[in-house]
Amino acid sequence: MTRSSVQGENTRKGASDAPGRAETPVARADGTEGTEGAEGEAGTPGATSAAGTPSTAGTDDGDGGAEAVRRRPRRGRRALRWTAVTLAVLIVGTASAGYLYYEHLNDNIKKVPLNLGDSKVAPPTPNAAGQTPLNILVIGSDARDNEENQQLGGARETFGSTPLADVQMLVHLSADRSNMSVVSMPRDTLVEIPRCTDPDDGKVYPASEGRTMTNQSLGHGGPGCTVATWQELTGIHIDHFMMVDFAGVVSMADAVGGVPVCVDANIHSRDSQGHGSGLKLEKGTHPIKGEQALQWLRTRYGFEDGSDLARAEAQHMYLNSMVRTLRENATLSSPNKLRRLAEEATGALTVDPGLDTVKKLYDLSNELRGVKPERITMTTMPNRYVGARVEPTEDAEQLFRLVREDIALDGKDAKKTPDDEPKVSDDPAAADDEIAVQVRNGTRTDRLGVARGRATTVAGLLVEQGFAKAVADSSVLLSEDRTVVRYPSADLEGDARRIAKSLEIPKSSVSRSTGVSGVTLVVGADWREGTAYKAPATDDKTPESAEALNGADEDACMHVNPAFTWS
């Protein structure tokens, strides 16, 4: 299969968290009213989910939750917006209508640039069949920019404030379109936000000084800065993004007709001080929709240990179930229901120009629909606490590498043959003494400091082998798990591969990147000493800390905290 036409209609032709948000009355599942902080269960939707598109849910705030927050800092993994995007992608293109209605739906879709950063990550090299993977970043915004968003998000004093990217989820569709992997990133992950330029007014947001919360990237010019931030962190080329806010999510959940969820005991997510989502369900499996679906996706009080990890698990279960429901639910064949869904979905989306029409979304839906639930794997970026925030771990880099190399997270990839290997450039390498290569030290890890002098040592090895233009760049200290060779353009691929071969660095460690200006060898943490490189055994298993959940798991059932049960 060639690259999807979602790249364009004619491709085949040619620092700190937001301030506390006030509590706002919200409806409970049992019809009574309670209050929620804006970042509480019914206060701020957002979350993480994964199944073929993203999710949303919120984090709890308020005096009653302060002690719990100190014990286990919040990790907003908001999933509700995942629902909106899934519906948009899977269904929006099937609503039959005339040309004018088609144009009306196109006009509903908001479009902004894909990447607002300065550096770009080159697309992956096609495999032997000419296929490349597709990476879509799904963003859930907490914008309170209209009355409907304000009502759903609460916190009146934050109306019109700078939006936060409270859901960030990468959807990876494999090159052969056989499997899908989803990686969600906690909203409070500490990252370095790159320099971004606002496309509307040309305002330049300088790169962050040190690390700041990833959800603040959206306020640096729009979703294109969130894309740039992800690419800087992961090295993964992102083809598209889709962003959705609070509005339209509940009505789209209604249009699906209900999604089955399971709890192992009666649950009421409400504590003595009124904090919680208000979710009230009896033990067993029940179809939920509308406000009740919103409550499920935001529930923290009542699931397992009350942490955002438990909330993320509930969101993943919901999304798995929703994907199965969409594939099986015949009621969605109703033209009226499809039109309603198309209206809600297109009105809720902001996309890059590559997805800015119903046709492009429909083409994408056809790509995604071909993946069976059992080949969908949803994960959360492995992380650890840094005070009240989190940061990626070594396992996170392992997860990112698997995505970069298009290795299925479910471990079911067929064994590769020589014919499956990526195509290598026909451009020959220059003579050894004419190849300019810069060597950098990337031996620093989270547990070990920099191994001094490694760039100089390895540059010396290259000079001894005849690479007279090899030089050490000691001005930049990096952190790389593995030794890698990078090159900026196709005309230097041959040179990069020649350098790698001379040091017995495997082909898989050679990649194209616009983050370098010439052939660059980064000595990784796997080569902290010695003069002979020995590539570590390749581990292509998804880290356990990624909490992988298979899309076909129909037996998943949320464990209810005994403090939130009822009889």
Side-chain angles (χ1 to χ4, degrees):
M1 178 183 292
T2 57
R3 192 169 184 82
S4 165
S5 64
V6 297
Q7 300 294 331
E9 297 249 15
N10 298 316
T11 298
R12 292 187 176 90
K13 297 178 181 178
S16 63
D17 207 347
R21 290 168 176 164
E23 295 185 342
T24 303
V26 296
R28 296 178 180 168
D30 58 6
T32 62
E33 285 194 348
T35 58
E36 281 297 339
E39 292 192 349
E41 306 298 2
T44 300
T48 59
S49 69
T53 326
S55 106
T56 32
T59 57
D60 293 291
D61 255 350
D63 295 337
E67 183 178 352
V69 170
R70 285 194 296 270
R71 290 197 307 270
R72 184 183 279 272
R74 292 169 295 133
R75 299 186 187 183
R77 294 188 177 94
R78 313 193 172 190
L80 183 59
R81 302 177 194 96
W82 204 105
T83 305
V85 177
T86 300
L87 297 177
V89 169
L90 295 181
I91 300 175
V92 71
T94 65
S96 299
Y99 176 77
L100 292 179
Y101 185 67
Y102 173 79
E103 288 301 306
H104 163 71
L105 291 179
N106 285 343
D107 290 341
N108 280 351
I109 304 170
K110 296 176 283 293
K111 311 97 178 172
V112 293
L114 173 63
N115 191 326
L116 303 181
D118 294 331
S119 64
K120 306 293 188 294
V121 174
T125 303
N127 61 19
Q131 303 164 316
T132 52
L134 190 64
N135 294 309
I136 306 163
L137 185 65
V138 178
I139 304 167
S141 166
D142 78 341
R144 292 168 174 80
D145 51 3
N146 58 46
E147 184 176 348
E148 188 175 4
N149 279 334
Q150 181 64 38
Q151 184 177 0
L152 289 168
R156 292 181 178 85
E157 74 278 7
T158 63
F159 184 85
S161 61
T162 302
L164 301 172
D166 280 344
V167 178
Q168 298 179 36
M169 184 171 303
L170 182 68
V171 179
H172 172 85
L173 187 60
S174 65
D176 63 4
R177 303 307 191 252
S178 68
N179 66 86
M180 185 187 304
S181 303
V182 182
V183 180
S184 60
M185 184 189 298
R187 67 189 290 271
D188 52 2
T189 301
L190 295 175
V191 298
E192 294 182 358
I193 299 176
R195 178 180 181 270
C196 293
T197 303
D198 192 316
D200 292 331
D201 57 15
K203 179 179 179 180
V204 176
Y205 292 85
S208 60
E209 297 181 4
R211 298 189 302 176
T212 189
M213 285 173 59
T214 184
N215 67 348
Q216 295 183 13
S217 60
L218 187 59
H220 290 216
C225 193
T226 305
V227 169
T229 301
W230 264 79
Q231 292 198 156
E232 287 283 326
L233 175 67
T234 67
I236 298 170
H237 174 79
I238 294 176
D239 301 283
H240 301 292
F241 76 81
M242 293 189 287
M243 183 174 73
V244 61
D245 58 19
F246 297 158
V249 171
V250 172
S251 56
M252 282 191 288
D254 284 335
V256 181
V259 173
V261 296
C262 176
V263 288
D264 67 359
N266 297 344
I267 182 175
H268 188 195
S269 178
R270 184 73 68 195
D271 67 9
S272 59
Q273 296 184 347
H275 300 102
S277 71
L279 177 70
K280 191 171 185 179
L281 288 174
E282 293 182 356
K283 176 182 178 180
T285 300
H286 310 275
I288 60 174
K289 58 183 179 179
E291 285 290 336
Q292 202 170 41
L294 181 65
Q295 291 170 338
W296 175 276
L297 293 169
R298 292 176 177 169
T299 293
R300 179 163 72 88
Y301 291 110
F303 285 153
E304 302 193 6
D305 61 356
S307 72
D308 276 335
L309 291 175
R311 171 160 45 203
E313 182 181 345
Q315 293 162 355
H316 288 167
M317 289 180 185
Y318 176 91
L319 293 165
N320 275 341
S321 182
M322 185 189 67
V323 168
R324 293 193 297 268
T325 299
L326 286 172
R327 293 174 67 93
E328 300 167 2
N329 194 342
T331 63
L332 289 176
S333 61
S334 164
N336 288 334
K337 288 186 177 182
L338 286 173
R339 286 193 188 94
R340 175 188 171 195
L341 198 51
E343 287 283 353
E344 299 293 351
T346 54
L349 287 176
T350 299
V351 299
D352 68 275
L355 292 177
D356 63 356
T357 67
V358 172
K359 180 184 183 301
K360 293 175 184 178
L361 288 171
Y362 183 58
D363 286 347
L364 176 59
S365 77
N366 283 335
E367 302 260 30
L368 299 178
R369 263 192 300 228
V371 181
K372 297 179 180 179
E374 55 266 28
R375 296 305 313 275
I376 297 172
T377 307
M378 293 178 282
T379 64
T380 297
M381 181 197 77
N383 58 83
R384 58 171 158 259
Y385 289 115
V386 180
R389 310 301 177 205
V390 299
E391 66 181 4
T393 63
E394 294 85 354
D395 281 354
E397 173 52 34
Q398 165 77 348
L399 192 64
F400 298 152
R401 181 184 68 80
L402 295 178
V403 174
R404 286 195 301 266
E405 297 179 9
D406 196 28
I407 297 171
L409 299 187
D410 62 6
K412 297 178 181 177
D413 270 340
K415 188 172 183 180
K416 291 187 176 182
T417 67
D419 289 339
D420 295 324
E421 294 299 320
K423 291 181 178 179
V424 177
S425 171
D426 294 330
D427 181 63
D432 288 356
D433 61 357
E434 291 297 321
I435 297 177
V437 56
Q438 193 174 72
V439 183
R440 293 177 175 174
N441 191 331
T443 58
R444 180 181 58 196
T445 73
D446 292 324
R447 292 190 289 267
L448 298 172
V450 173
R452 298 291 176 182
R454 294 305 294 160
T456 300
T457 298
V458 175
L461 289 175
L462 288 169
V463 170
E464 290 177 5
Q465 293 184 21
F467 297 94
K469 293 186 176 182
V471 296
D473 178 8
S474 301
S475 65
V476 180
L477 299 179
L478 304 173
S479 180
E480 293 280 353
D481 288 342
R482 290 171 176 260
T483 298
V484 295
V485 182
R486 297 188 174 112
Y487 60 94
S489 55
D491 60 313
L492 291 177
E493 181 177 351
D495 292 358
R497 294 192 179 280
R498 173 66 187 127
I499 291 292
K501 183 177 181 180
S502 71
L503 296 174
E504 298 186 8
I505 297 171
K507 294 178 181 178
S508 61
S509 294
V510 181
S511 63
R512 182 173 174 178
S513 171
T514 53
V516 296
S517 58
V519 177
T520 303
L521 188 158
V522 182
V523 184
D526 58 349
W527 198 10
R528 291 178 60 88
E529 59 185 12
T531 57
Y533 178 70
K534 183 177 181 180
T538 301
D539 179 8
D540 290 341
K541 293 182 180 179
T542 300
E544 291 186 9
S545 56
E547 302 171 353
L549 184 64
N550 186 270
D553 186 354
E554 298 185 32
D555 298 324
C557 196
M558 287 305 300
H559 174 63
V560 175
N561 187 316
F564 290 87
T565 193
W566 55 277
S567 59

